[in-house]
Amino acid sequence: KNEVEQSPQNLTAQEGEFITINCSYSVGISALHWLQQHPGGGIVSLFMLSSGKKKHGRLIATINIQEKHSSLHITASHPRDSAVYICAVISGRSSGDKLTFGTGTRLAVRP
Amino acid sequence: KAGVTQTPRYLIKTRGQQVTLSCSPISGHRSVSWYQQTPGQGLQFLFEYFSETQRNKGNFPGRFSGRQFSNSRSEMNVSTLELGDSALYLCASSPKAGGGNEQFFGPGTRLTVL
């Protein structure tokens, strides 16, 4: 079992729909990142969370440390939101932080 | 501010060769991390450099190495290339050390090993 699991793996939505992508992890973490990767490879960091909730425009990220779960929500989805969304957790160890990535959720938003 | 730049963007090598990739961080950022992305394994952490010192290392063989210069630019080297090293190599910079800080990614270098 992977330390970081994302669901769903693939998601197709109609423009305007509310979208939720989930990330569950099995280790204790100090922080969690949500990343967006567009075709061609470029990655943008959307959020870094250690507790609670963050909002940026139409994007909302939440994390529940006790339940080891985070969600990324997209409100009023748009075709330009089509991308792969990746969560990454940071867990500490004596030799430094360990970054572990989920396998990503491929989102396609149709006009 | 200019973003993170990586050179070259594309590279084709043959098995057994070695390769050096370069990453220039955002001005003022002292941490540079390297990642490998493959269709099979996804994104994996290679190593992090901060102030010219390797601060953290992922689970990769010794053929993968890196360094950081006094101007924070970083290079990674892969020796004795294998077919499985074909991947997108990404670097990311951050003002501070550690994965718990916002990271700014470069466009990546796509390496193909024939």
Side-chain angles (χ1 to χ4, degrees), chain A residues 30-31 33 35 37 40-48 84 86 90-91 93 95-103, chain B residues 9-10 35 37 42-45 48 55-58 88 90 97-107 110:
Chain A
S30 57
H33 290 273
L35 309 172
Q37 185 171 30
I43 291 182
V44 173
S45 175
L46 297 174
F47 295 102
M48 188 187 69
V84 176
I86 302 166
I90 298 95
S91 52
R93 55 182 185 176
S95 57
D97 297 330
K98 178 183 176 185
L99 284 83
T100 308
F101 295 86
T103 53
Chain B
R9 294 291 312 278
Y10 302 90
Y35 303 91
Q37 186 176 37
L43 264 170
Q44 293 183 282
F45 170 71
E48 179 194 6
R55 188 179 173 276
N56 197 2
K57 190 175 189 301
L88 179 67
L90 292 150
N101 299 289
E102 185 178 7
Q103 306 222 344
F104 297 82
F105 286 81
R110 189 164 297 278

mmCIF file of all heavy atoms in Angstrom, chain A residues 30-31 33 35 37 40-48 84 86 90-91 93 95-103, chain B residues 9-10 35 37 42-45 48 55-58 88 90 97-107 110:
data_model
loop_
_atom_site.group_PDB
_atom_site.id
_atom_site.type_symbol
_atom_site.label_atom_id
_atom_site.label_comp_id
_atom_site.label_asym_id
_atom_site.label_seq_id
_atom_site.Cartn_x
_atom_site.Cartn_y
_atom_site.Cartn_z
ATOM 1 N N SER A 30 4.263 16.691 8.659
ATOM 2 C CA SER A 30 4.377 18.067 9.156
ATOM 3 C C SER A 30 3.662 19.047 8.236
ATOM 4 O O SER A 30 3.263 20.126 8.656
ATOM 5 C CB SER A 30 5.852 18.454 9.289
ATOM 6 O OG SER A 30 6.513 18.310 8.050
ATOM 7 N N ALA A 31 3.487 18.676 6.970
ATOM 8 C CA ALA A 31 2.788 19.540 6.020
ATOM 9 C C ALA A 31 2.390 18.735 4.796
ATOM 10 O O ALA A 31 2.891 17.618 4.573
ATOM 11 C CB ALA A 31 3.669 20.727 5.613
ATOM 12 N N HIS A 33 1.431 19.330 0.510
ATOM 13 C CA HIS A 33 1.350 20.221 -0.644
ATOM 14 C C HIS A 33 0.304 19.715 -1.625
ATOM 15 O O HIS A 33 0.148 18.506 -1.806
ATOM 16 C CB HIS A 33 2.692 20.233 -1.401
ATOM 17 C CG HIS A 33 3.822 20.906 -0.708
ATOM 18 N ND1 HIS A 33 4.073 22.254 -0.806
ATOM 19 C CD2 HIS A 33 4.801 20.397 0.073
ATOM 20 C CE1 HIS A 33 5.159 22.547 -0.103
ATOM 21 N NE2 HIS A 33 5.618 21.445 0.442
ATOM 22 N N LEU A 35 -0.211 20.187 -5.700
ATOM 23 C CA LEU A 35 0.488 20.661 -6.892
ATOM 24 C C LEU A 35 -0.404 20.471 -8.109
ATOM 25 O O LEU A 35 -1.235 19.552 -8.144
ATOM 26 C CB LEU A 35 1.790 19.871 -7.093
ATOM 27 C CG LEU A 35 2.735 19.748 -5.902
ATOM 28 C CD1 LEU A 35 3.866 18.781 -6.221
ATOM 29 C CD2 LEU A 35 3.282 21.106 -5.511
ATOM 30 N N GLN A 37 -0.122 20.064 -12.322
ATOM 31 C CA GLN A 37 0.795 19.848 -13.430
ATOM 32 C C GLN A 37 0.021 19.851 -14.744
ATOM 33 O O GLN A 37 -0.853 19.029 -14.973
ATOM 34 C CB GLN A 37 1.544 18.516 -13.285
ATOM 35 C CG GLN A 37 2.608 18.304 -14.346
ATOM 36 C CD GLN A 37 3.477 17.100 -14.077
ATOM 37 O OE1 GLN A 37 3.050 16.120 -13.476
ATOM 38 N NE2 GLN A 37 4.749 17.163 -14.505
ATOM 39 N N GLY A 40 2.815 18.978 -20.735
ATOM 40 C CA GLY A 40 4.097 19.631 -20.994
ATOM 41 C C GLY A 40 4.992 19.572 -19.780
ATOM 42 O O GLY A 40 6.198 19.757 -19.889
ATOM 43 N N GLY A 41 4.409 19.349 -18.619
ATOM 44 C CA GLY A 41 5.222 19.047 -17.444
ATOM 45 C C GLY A 41 5.317 20.091 -16.369
ATOM 46 O O GLY A 41 5.658 19.773 -15.247
ATOM 47 N N GLY A 42 5.031 21.359 -16.673
ATOM 48 C CA GLY A 42 5.227 22.396 -15.669
ATOM 49 C C GLY A 42 4.378 22.184 -14.439
ATOM 50 O O GLY A 42 3.193 21.860 -14.525
ATOM 51 N N ILE A 43 4.979 22.325 -13.275
ATOM 52 C CA ILE A 43 4.278 22.122 -12.000
ATOM 53 C C ILE A 43 4.171 23.445 -11.267
ATOM 54 O O ILE A 43 5.140 24.203 -11.183
ATOM 55 C CB ILE A 43 5.024 21.096 -11.121
ATOM 56 C CG1 ILE A 43 4.924 19.702 -11.727
ATOM 57 C CG2 ILE A 43 4.460 21.089 -9.697
ATOM 58 C CD1 ILE A 43 5.598 18.621 -10.907
ATOM 59 N N VAL A 44 2.987 23.679 -10.727
ATOM 60 C CA VAL A 44 2.745 24.869 -9.916
ATOM 61 C C VAL A 44 2.299 24.421 -8.539
ATOM 62 O O VAL A 44 1.465 23.515 -8.415
ATOM 63 C CB VAL A 44 1.652 25.752 -10.561
ATOM 64 C CG1 VAL A 44 1.280 26.898 -9.644
ATOM 65 C CG2 VAL A 44 2.115 26.274 -11.909
ATOM 66 N N SER A 45 2.859 25.020 -7.516
ATOM 67 C CA SER A 45 2.426 24.714 -6.165
ATOM 68 C C SER A 45 1.163 25.513 -5.879
ATOM 69 O O SER A 45 1.150 26.732 -5.978
ATOM 70 C CB SER A 45 3.533 25.099 -5.176
ATOM 71 O OG SER A 45 3.099 24.916 -3.849
ATOM 72 N N LEU A 46 0.076 24.805 -5.539
ATOM 73 C CA LEU A 46 -1.199 25.484 -5.281
ATOM 74 C C LEU A 46 -1.330 25.873 -3.807
ATOM 75 O O LEU A 46 -1.710 26.996 -3.485
ATOM 76 C CB LEU A 46 -2.356 24.568 -5.666
ATOM 77 C CG LEU A 46 -2.452 24.169 -7.131
ATOM 78 C CD1 LEU A 46 -3.560 23.136 -7.317
ATOM 79 C CD2 LEU A 46 -2.695 25.386 -8.014
ATOM 80 N N PHE A 47 -1.086 24.903 -2.941
ATOM 81 C CA PHE A 47 -1.246 25.132 -1.504
ATOM 82 C C PHE A 47 -0.200 24.346 -0.733
ATOM 83 O O PHE A 47 0.248 23.288 -1.173
ATOM 84 C CB PHE A 47 -2.625 24.637 -1.000
ATOM 85 C CG PHE A 47 -3.805 25.360 -1.551
ATOM 86 C CD1 PHE A 47 -4.565 24.788 -2.564
ATOM 87 C CD2 PHE A 47 -4.171 26.608 -1.055
ATOM 88 C CE1 PHE A 47 -5.667 25.444 -3.070
ATOM 89 C CE2 PHE A 47 -5.271 27.266 -1.564
ATOM 90 C CZ PHE A 47 -6.023 26.687 -2.575
ATOM 91 N N MET A 48 0.136 24.884 0.431
ATOM 92 C CA MET A 48 0.859 24.120 1.426
ATOM 93 C C MET A 48 0.065 24.241 2.721
ATOM 94 O O MET A 48 -0.267 25.356 3.139
ATOM 95 C CB MET A 48 2.265 24.640 1.634
ATOM 96 C CG MET A 48 3.106 23.744 2.513
ATOM 97 S SD MET A 48 4.666 24.487 2.892
ATOM 98 C CE MET A 48 4.181 25.836 3.949
ATOM 99 N N VAL A 84 -3.188 17.588 -14.129
ATOM 100 C CA VAL A 84 -3.011 16.537 -13.126
ATOM 101 C C VAL A 84 -2.754 17.214 -11.783
ATOM 102 O O VAL A 84 -1.912 18.117 -11.691
ATOM 103 C CB VAL A 84 -1.829 15.609 -13.485
ATOM 104 C CG1 VAL A 84 -1.600 14.578 -12.379
ATOM 105 C CG2 VAL A 84 -2.096 14.904 -14.814
ATOM 106 N N ILE A 86 -1.607 16.739 -7.873
ATOM 107 C CA ILE A 86 -0.771 15.817 -7.105
ATOM 108 C C ILE A 86 -0.687 16.313 -5.668
ATOM 109 O O ILE A 86 -0.446 17.502 -5.432
ATOM 110 C CB ILE A 86 0.656 15.755 -7.701
ATOM 111 C CG1 ILE A 86 0.604 15.326 -9.175
ATOM 112 C CG2 ILE A 86 1.551 14.817 -6.886
ATOM 113 C CD1 ILE A 86 1.915 15.555 -9.919
ATOM 114 N N ILE A 90 4.908 15.772 3.646
ATOM 115 C CA ILE A 90 6.243 15.959 4.204
ATOM 116 C C ILE A 90 6.257 15.358 5.597
ATOM 117 O O ILE A 90 5.480 15.754 6.473
ATOM 118 C CB ILE A 90 6.623 17.449 4.270
ATOM 119 C CG1 ILE A 90 6.645 18.055 2.880
ATOM 120 C CG2 ILE A 90 8.000 17.614 4.909
ATOM 121 C CD1 ILE A 90 5.378 18.733 2.466
ATOM 122 N N SER A 91 7.100 14.357 5.777
ATOM 123 C CA SER A 91 7.251 13.736 7.084
ATOM 124 C C SER A 91 8.690 13.878 7.519
ATOM 125 O O SER A 91 9.603 13.823 6.688
ATOM 126 C CB SER A 91 6.820 12.270 7.052
ATOM 127 O OG SER A 91 7.475 11.578 6.014
ATOM 128 N N ARG A 93 12.255 13.106 9.481
ATOM 129 C CA ARG A 93 13.101 12.000 9.907
ATOM 130 C C ARG A 93 14.436 12.601 10.321
ATOM 131 O O ARG A 93 14.718 13.756 10.001
ATOM 132 C CB ARG A 93 13.289 10.961 8.811
ATOM 133 C CG ARG A 93 13.808 11.535 7.514
ATOM 134 C CD ARG A 93 13.942 10.502 6.442
ATOM 135 N NE ARG A 93 14.554 11.083 5.248
ATOM 136 C CZ ARG A 93 14.861 10.397 4.167
ATOM 137 N NH1 ARG A 93 14.619 9.106 4.102
ATOM 138 N NH2 ARG A 93 15.422 10.989 3.124
ATOM 139 N N SER A 95 17.344 12.346 9.257
ATOM 140 C CA SER A 95 18.216 12.799 8.163
ATOM 141 C C SER A 95 17.602 13.918 7.355
ATOM 142 O O SER A 95 18.160 14.333 6.354
ATOM 143 C CB SER A 95 18.553 11.612 7.257
ATOM 144 O OG SER A 95 17.375 11.009 6.764
ATOM 145 N N GLY A 96 16.428 14.392 7.766
ATOM 146 C CA GLY A 96 15.787 15.484 7.034
ATOM 147 C C GLY A 96 14.374 15.123 6.628
ATOM 148 O O GLY A 96 13.889 14.029 6.875
ATOM 149 N N ASP A 97 13.690 16.097 5.992
ATOM 150 C CA ASP A 97 12.308 15.855 5.587
ATOM 151 C C ASP A 97 12.250 14.803 4.491
ATOM 152 O O ASP A 97 13.111 14.743 3.624
ATOM 153 C CB ASP A 97 11.698 17.153 5.041
ATOM 154 C CG ASP A 97 11.629 18.224 6.104
ATOM 155 O OD1 ASP A 97 11.488 17.871 7.280
ATOM 156 O OD2 ASP A 97 11.720 19.402 5.749
ATOM 157 N N LYS A 98 11.185 14.015 4.531
ATOM 158 C CA LYS A 98 10.936 13.045 3.464
ATOM 159 C C LYS A 98 9.702 13.487 2.703
ATOM 160 O O LYS A 98 8.661 13.743 3.307
ATOM 161 C CB LYS A 98 10.712 11.649 4.061
ATOM 162 C CG LYS A 98 10.395 10.594 3.016
ATOM 163 C CD LYS A 98 10.110 9.246 3.655
ATOM 164 C CE LYS A 98 9.709 8.230 2.596
ATOM 165 N NZ LYS A 98 9.310 6.936 3.192
ATOM 166 N N LEU A 99 9.807 13.631 1.406
ATOM 167 C CA LEU A 99 8.678 14.018 0.579
ATOM 168 C C LEU A 99 8.172 12.793 -0.154
ATOM 169 O O LEU A 99 8.923 12.115 -0.826
ATOM 170 C CB LEU A 99 9.091 15.079 -0.433
ATOM 171 C CG LEU A 99 9.270 16.498 0.090
ATOM 172 C CD1 LEU A 99 10.648 16.656 0.703
ATOM 173 C CD2 LEU A 99 9.060 17.497 -1.022
ATOM 174 N N THR A 100 6.886 12.534 0.005
ATOM 175 C CA THR A 100 6.261 11.406 -0.665
ATOM 176 C C THR A 100 5.069 11.919 -1.449
ATOM 177 O O THR A 100 4.241 12.651 -0.912
ATOM 178 C CB THR A 100 5.792 10.343 0.348
ATOM 179 O OG1 THR A 100 6.871 10.001 1.207
ATOM 180 C CG2 THR A 100 5.326 9.091 -0.379
ATOM 181 N N PHE A 101 4.987 11.508 -2.706
ATOM 182 C CA PHE A 101 3.977 12.027 -3.607
ATOM 183 C C PHE A 101 2.890 10.998 -3.862
ATOM 184 O O PHE A 101 3.145 9.795 -3.923
ATOM 185 C CB PHE A 101 4.608 12.395 -4.946
ATOM 186 C CG PHE A 101 5.599 13.517 -4.858
ATOM 187 C CD1 PHE A 101 6.923 13.263 -4.542
ATOM 188 C CD2 PHE A 101 5.219 14.825 -5.089
ATOM 189 C CE1 PHE A 101 7.846 14.291 -4.451
ATOM 190 C CE2 PHE A 101 6.132 15.862 -5.005
ATOM 191 C CZ PHE A 101 7.453 15.595 -4.680
ATOM 192 N N GLY A 102 1.663 11.488 -4.046
ATOM 193 C CA GLY A 102 0.602 10.650 -4.558
ATOM 194 C C GLY A 102 0.786 10.463 -6.058
ATOM 195 O O GLY A 102 1.626 11.119 -6.680
ATOM 196 N N THR A 103 0.008 9.568 -6.635
ATOM 197 C CA THR A 103 0.155 9.256 -8.053
ATOM 198 C C THR A 103 -0.583 10.245 -8.951
ATOM 199 O O THR A 103 -0.461 10.182 -10.160
ATOM 200 C CB THR A 103 -0.333 7.839 -8.358
ATOM 201 O OG1 THR A 103 -1.658 7.701 -7.837
ATOM 202 C CG2 THR A 103 0.570 6.801 -7.717
ATOM 203 N N ARG B 9 16.360 21.640 -21.898
ATOM 204 C CA ARG B 9 14.976 21.219 -21.738
ATOM 205 C C ARG B 9 14.750 19.791 -22.215
ATOM 206 O O ARG B 9 13.898 19.074 -21.685
ATOM 207 C CB ARG B 9 14.050 22.154 -22.520
ATOM 208 C CG ARG B 9 14.013 23.585 -21.991
ATOM 209 C CD ARG B 9 13.328 23.670 -20.623
ATOM 210 N NE ARG B 9 12.061 22.957 -20.595
ATOM 211 C CZ ARG B 9 10.917 23.461 -21.042
ATOM 212 N NH1 ARG B 9 10.870 24.673 -21.546
ATOM 213 N NH2 ARG B 9 9.796 22.750 -20.980
ATOM 214 N N TYR B 10 15.503 19.406 -23.219
ATOM 215 C CA TYR B 10 15.393 18.045 -23.763
ATOM 216 C C TYR B 10 16.785 17.502 -23.994
ATOM 217 O O TYR B 10 17.702 18.238 -24.356
ATOM 218 C CB TYR B 10 14.606 18.045 -25.080
ATOM 219 C CG TYR B 10 13.224 18.610 -24.959
ATOM 220 C CD1 TYR B 10 12.975 19.965 -25.161
ATOM 221 C CD2 TYR B 10 12.154 17.790 -24.617
ATOM 222 C CE1 TYR B 10 11.705 20.478 -25.044
ATOM 223 C CE2 TYR B 10 10.870 18.302 -24.493
ATOM 224 C CZ TYR B 10 10.659 19.640 -24.714
ATOM 225 O OH TYR B 10 9.391 20.150 -24.577
ATOM 226 N N TYR B 35 13.748 16.345 -8.467
ATOM 227 C CA TYR B 35 12.743 15.286 -8.492
ATOM 228 C C TYR B 35 12.824 14.555 -9.837
ATOM 229 O O TYR B 35 13.160 15.153 -10.860
ATOM 230 C CB TYR B 35 11.336 15.858 -8.333
ATOM 231 C CG TYR B 35 11.144 16.662 -7.083
ATOM 232 C CD1 TYR B 35 11.373 18.036 -7.070
ATOM 233 C CD2 TYR B 35 10.744 16.054 -5.898
ATOM 234 C CE1 TYR B 35 11.200 18.783 -5.922
ATOM 235 C CE2 TYR B 35 10.569 16.796 -4.742
ATOM 236 C CZ TYR B 35 10.806 18.161 -4.767
ATOM 237 O OH TYR B 35 10.641 18.891 -3.625
ATOM 238 N N GLN B 37 10.400 12.242 -12.412
ATOM 239 C CA GLN B 37 9.015 11.843 -12.683
ATOM 240 C C GLN B 37 8.994 10.867 -13.850
ATOM 241 O O GLN B 37 9.456 11.188 -14.948
ATOM 242 C CB GLN B 37 8.135 13.053 -13.000
ATOM 243 C CG GLN B 37 6.662 12.691 -13.137
ATOM 244 C CD GLN B 37 5.787 13.886 -13.363
ATOM 245 O OE1 GLN B 37 6.158 14.827 -14.053
ATOM 246 N NE2 GLN B 37 4.594 13.885 -12.779
ATOM 247 N N GLY B 42 5.802 7.771 -10.927
ATOM 248 C CA GLY B 42 5.331 9.100 -10.558
ATOM 249 C C GLY B 42 6.487 9.994 -10.150
ATOM 250 O O GLY B 42 7.626 9.811 -10.565
ATOM 251 N N LEU B 43 6.172 10.956 -9.296
ATOM 252 C CA LEU B 43 7.182 11.906 -8.809
ATOM 253 C C LEU B 43 7.934 11.296 -7.632
ATOM 254 O O LEU B 43 7.321 10.769 -6.701
ATOM 255 C CB LEU B 43 6.511 13.188 -8.335
ATOM 256 C CG LEU B 43 6.433 14.360 -9.299
ATOM 257 C CD1 LEU B 43 5.520 15.434 -8.741
ATOM 258 C CD2 LEU B 43 7.819 14.950 -9.547
ATOM 259 N N GLN B 44 9.244 11.390 -7.671
ATOM 260 C CA GLN B 44 10.061 10.904 -6.567
ATOM 261 C C GLN B 44 11.130 11.928 -6.243
ATOM 262 O O GLN B 44 11.731 12.528 -7.142
ATOM 263 C CB GLN B 44 10.720 9.565 -6.928
ATOM 264 C CG GLN B 44 9.729 8.425 -7.089
ATOM 265 C CD GLN B 44 10.442 7.113 -7.377
ATOM 266 O OE1 GLN B 44 10.876 6.868 -8.484
ATOM 267 N NE2 GLN B 44 10.562 6.281 -6.360
ATOM 268 N N PHE B 45 11.369 12.093 -4.967
ATOM 269 C CA PHE B 45 12.342 13.058 -4.481
ATOM 270 C C PHE B 45 13.750 12.482 -4.650
ATOM 271 O O PHE B 45 14.031 11.362 -4.242
ATOM 272 C CB PHE B 45 12.050 13.359 -3.014
ATOM 273 C CG PHE B 45 13.098 14.149 -2.302
ATOM 274 C CD1 PHE B 45 13.295 15.489 -2.577
ATOM 275 C CD2 PHE B 45 13.876 13.548 -1.327
ATOM 276 C CE1 PHE B 45 14.255 16.227 -1.896
ATOM 277 C CE2 PHE B 45 14.842 14.271 -0.646
ATOM 278 C CZ PHE B 45 15.028 15.611 -0.927
ATOM 279 N N GLU B 48 17.957 17.369 -1.910
ATOM 280 C CA GLU B 48 17.805 18.797 -1.649
ATOM 281 C C GLU B 48 19.165 19.365 -1.276
ATOM 282 O O GLU B 48 19.909 18.765 -0.488
ATOM 283 C CB GLU B 48 16.816 19.087 -0.522
ATOM 284 C CG GLU B 48 16.675 20.585 -0.248
ATOM 285 C CD GLU B 48 15.980 20.903 1.065
ATOM 286 O OE1 GLU B 48 15.690 19.970 1.838
ATOM 287 O OE2 GLU B 48 15.730 22.097 1.322
ATOM 288 N N ARG B 55 21.269 18.443 1.911
ATOM 289 C CA ARG B 55 20.552 18.421 3.193
ATOM 290 C C ARG B 55 19.722 17.151 3.357
ATOM 291 O O ARG B 55 19.458 16.713 4.458
ATOM 292 C CB ARG B 55 19.653 19.645 3.261
ATOM 293 C CG ARG B 55 18.992 19.870 4.582
ATOM 294 C CD ARG B 55 18.140 21.126 4.581
ATOM 295 N NE ARG B 55 17.394 21.216 5.825
ATOM 296 C CZ ARG B 55 16.238 20.612 6.052
ATOM 297 N NH1 ARG B 55 15.675 19.891 5.113
ATOM 298 N NH2 ARG B 55 15.633 20.737 7.209
ATOM 299 N N ASN B 56 19.330 16.588 2.251
ATOM 300 C CA ASN B 56 18.393 15.482 2.299
ATOM 301 C C ASN B 56 18.522 14.690 1.004
ATOM 302 O O ASN B 56 18.804 15.268 -0.046
ATOM 303 C CB ASN B 56 16.970 16.042 2.447
ATOM 304 C CG ASN B 56 15.976 15.019 2.915
ATOM 305 O OD1 ASN B 56 16.320 13.879 3.174
ATOM 306 N ND2 ASN B 56 14.733 15.446 3.032
ATOM 307 N N LYS B 57 18.300 13.384 1.083
ATOM 308 C CA LYS B 57 18.483 12.550 -0.097
ATOM 309 C C LYS B 57 17.377 11.512 -0.163
ATOM 310 O O LYS B 57 16.994 10.942 0.868
ATOM 311 C CB LYS B 57 19.840 11.838 -0.011
ATOM 312 C CG LYS B 57 20.262 11.120 -1.276
ATOM 313 C CD LYS B 57 21.671 10.556 -1.109
ATOM 314 C CE LYS B 57 22.235 10.022 -2.415
ATOM 315 N NZ LYS B 57 21.427 8.959 -3.011
ATOM 316 N N GLY B 58 16.849 11.275 -1.349
ATOM 317 C CA GLY B 58 15.847 10.241 -1.553
ATOM 318 C C GLY B 58 16.509 8.892 -1.755
ATOM 319 O O GLY B 58 17.723 8.731 -1.623
ATOM 320 N N LEU B 88 11.293 12.775 -16.704
ATOM 321 C CA LEU B 88 11.297 14.225 -16.592
ATOM 322 C C LEU B 88 11.972 14.560 -15.268
ATOM 323 O O LEU B 88 11.547 14.080 -14.221
ATOM 324 C CB LEU B 88 9.871 14.762 -16.618
ATOM 325 C CG LEU B 88 9.703 16.276 -16.495
ATOM 326 C CD1 LEU B 88 10.255 16.980 -17.725
ATOM 327 C CD2 LEU B 88 8.231 16.639 -16.300
ATOM 328 N N LEU B 90 12.807 17.390 -12.625
ATOM 329 C CA LEU B 90 12.327 18.703 -12.200
ATOM 330 C C LEU B 90 13.171 19.208 -11.049
ATOM 331 O O LEU B 90 13.557 18.435 -10.166
ATOM 332 C CB LEU B 90 10.877 18.606 -11.754
ATOM 333 C CG LEU B 90 9.858 18.297 -12.855
ATOM 334 C CD1 LEU B 90 8.688 17.524 -12.307
ATOM 335 C CD2 LEU B 90 9.388 19.585 -13.506
ATOM 336 N N ALA B 97 15.185 26.027 3.698
ATOM 337 C CA ALA B 97 15.407 24.599 3.575
ATOM 338 C C ALA B 97 14.187 23.830 4.065
ATOM 339 O O ALA B 97 13.402 24.313 4.869
ATOM 340 C CB ALA B 97 16.632 24.198 4.387
ATOM 341 N N GLY B 98 14.032 22.618 3.554
ATOM 342 C CA GLY B 98 12.991 21.729 4.041
ATOM 343 C C GLY B 98 11.763 21.707 3.148
ATOM 344 O O GLY B 98 11.388 22.711 2.557
ATOM 345 N N GLY B 99 11.136 20.521 3.069
ATOM 346 C CA GLY B 99 9.979 20.363 2.200
ATOM 347 C C GLY B 99 8.735 21.072 2.692
ATOM 348 O O GLY B 99 7.745 21.171 1.974
ATOM 349 N N GLY B 100 8.777 21.588 3.918
ATOM 350 C CA GLY B 100 7.609 22.247 4.459
ATOM 351 C C GLY B 100 7.484 23.707 4.063
ATOM 352 O O GLY B 100 6.770 24.460 4.702
ATOM 353 N N ASN B 101 8.192 24.089 3.020
ATOM 354 C CA ASN B 101 8.104 25.452 2.511
ATOM 355 C C ASN B 101 7.602 25.425 1.074
ATOM 356 O O ASN B 101 7.792 24.441 0.358
ATOM 357 C CB ASN B 101 9.483 26.111 2.542
ATOM 358 C CG ASN B 101 10.040 26.209 3.942
ATOM 359 O OD1 ASN B 101 9.557 26.989 4.746
ATOM 360 N ND2 ASN B 101 11.035 25.390 4.254
ATOM 361 N N GLU B 102 6.985 26.509 0.637
ATOM 362 C CA GLU B 102 6.463 26.558 -0.719
ATOM 363 C C GLU B 102 7.610 26.383 -1.697
ATOM 364 O O GLU B 102 8.671 26.984 -1.548
ATOM 365 C CB GLU B 102 5.757 27.875 -0.984
ATOM 366 C CG GLU B 102 5.095 27.901 -2.360
ATOM 367 C CD GLU B 102 4.331 29.180 -2.634
ATOM 368 O OE1 GLU B 102 4.415 30.101 -1.809
ATOM 369 O OE2 GLU B 102 3.683 29.245 -3.690
ATOM 370 N N GLN B 103 7.387 25.552 -2.692
ATOM 371 C CA GLN B 103 8.412 25.253 -3.679
ATOM 372 C C GLN B 103 7.973 25.807 -5.034
ATOM 373 O O GLN B 103 6.808 25.755 -5.405
ATOM 374 C CB GLN B 103 8.613 23.750 -3.789
ATOM 375 C CG GLN B 103 8.907 23.089 -2.453
ATOM 376 C CD GLN B 103 9.991 22.056 -2.544
ATOM 377 O OE1 GLN B 103 10.340 21.602 -3.612
ATOM 378 N NE2 GLN B 103 10.543 21.668 -1.413
ATOM 379 N N PHE B 104 8.935 26.347 -5.766
ATOM 380 C CA PHE B 104 8.692 26.914 -7.079
ATOM 381 C C PHE B 104 9.433 26.029 -8.095
ATOM 382 O O PHE B 104 10.654 25.925 -8.052
ATOM 383 C CB PHE B 104 9.194 28.355 -7.139
ATOM 384 C CG PHE B 104 8.463 29.262 -6.185
ATOM 385 C CD1 PHE B 104 8.807 29.320 -4.840
ATOM 386 C CD2 PHE B 104 7.415 30.048 -6.632
ATOM 387 C CE1 PHE B 104 8.133 30.135 -3.952
ATOM 388 C CE2 PHE B 104 6.730 30.885 -5.753
ATOM 389 C CZ PHE B 104 7.094 30.928 -4.414
ATOM 390 N N PHE B 105 8.648 25.446 -8.995
ATOM 391 C CA PHE B 105 9.206 24.447 -9.894
ATOM 392 C C PHE B 105 9.685 25.047 -11.212
ATOM 393 O O PHE B 105 9.095 25.999 -11.734
ATOM 394 C CB PHE B 105 8.165 23.370 -10.205
ATOM 395 C CG PHE B 105 7.926 22.423 -9.066
ATOM 396 C CD1 PHE B 105 7.091 22.773 -8.013
ATOM 397 C CD2 PHE B 105 8.551 21.185 -9.046
ATOM 398 C CE1 PHE B 105 6.881 21.899 -6.949
ATOM 399 C CE2 PHE B 105 8.337 20.306 -7.992
ATOM 400 C CZ PHE B 105 7.509 20.665 -6.945
ATOM 401 N N GLY B 106 10.735 24.455 -11.749
ATOM 402 C CA GLY B 106 11.183 24.767 -13.086
ATOM 403 C C GLY B 106 10.399 23.967 -14.112
ATOM 404 O O GLY B 106 9.584 23.108 -13.748
ATOM 405 N N PRO B 107 10.642 24.203 -15.400
ATOM 406 C CA PRO B 107 9.885 23.518 -16.456
ATOM 407 C C PRO B 107 10.309 22.068 -16.663
ATOM 408 O O PRO B 107 9.602 21.303 -17.304
ATOM 409 C CB PRO B 107 10.189 24.347 -17.700
ATOM 410 C CG PRO B 107 11.527 24.951 -17.424
ATOM 411 C CD PRO B 107 11.568 25.211 -15.940
ATOM 412 N N ARG B 110 13.565 16.907 -19.952
ATOM 413 C CA ARG B 110 13.102 15.571 -20.350
ATOM 414 C C ARG B 110 14.278 14.799 -20.919
ATOM 415 O O ARG B 110 14.811 15.162 -21.968
ATOM 416 C CB ARG B 110 11.967 15.668 -21.365
ATOM 417 C CG ARG B 110 11.323 14.329 -21.644
ATOM 418 C CD ARG B 110 9.985 14.442 -22.332
ATOM 419 N NE ARG B 110 8.967 15.121 -21.549
ATOM 420 C CZ ARG B 110 8.238 14.559 -20.594
ATOM 421 N NH1 ARG B 110 8.440 13.294 -20.290
ATOM 422 N NH2 ARG B 110 7.311 15.248 -19.980
#
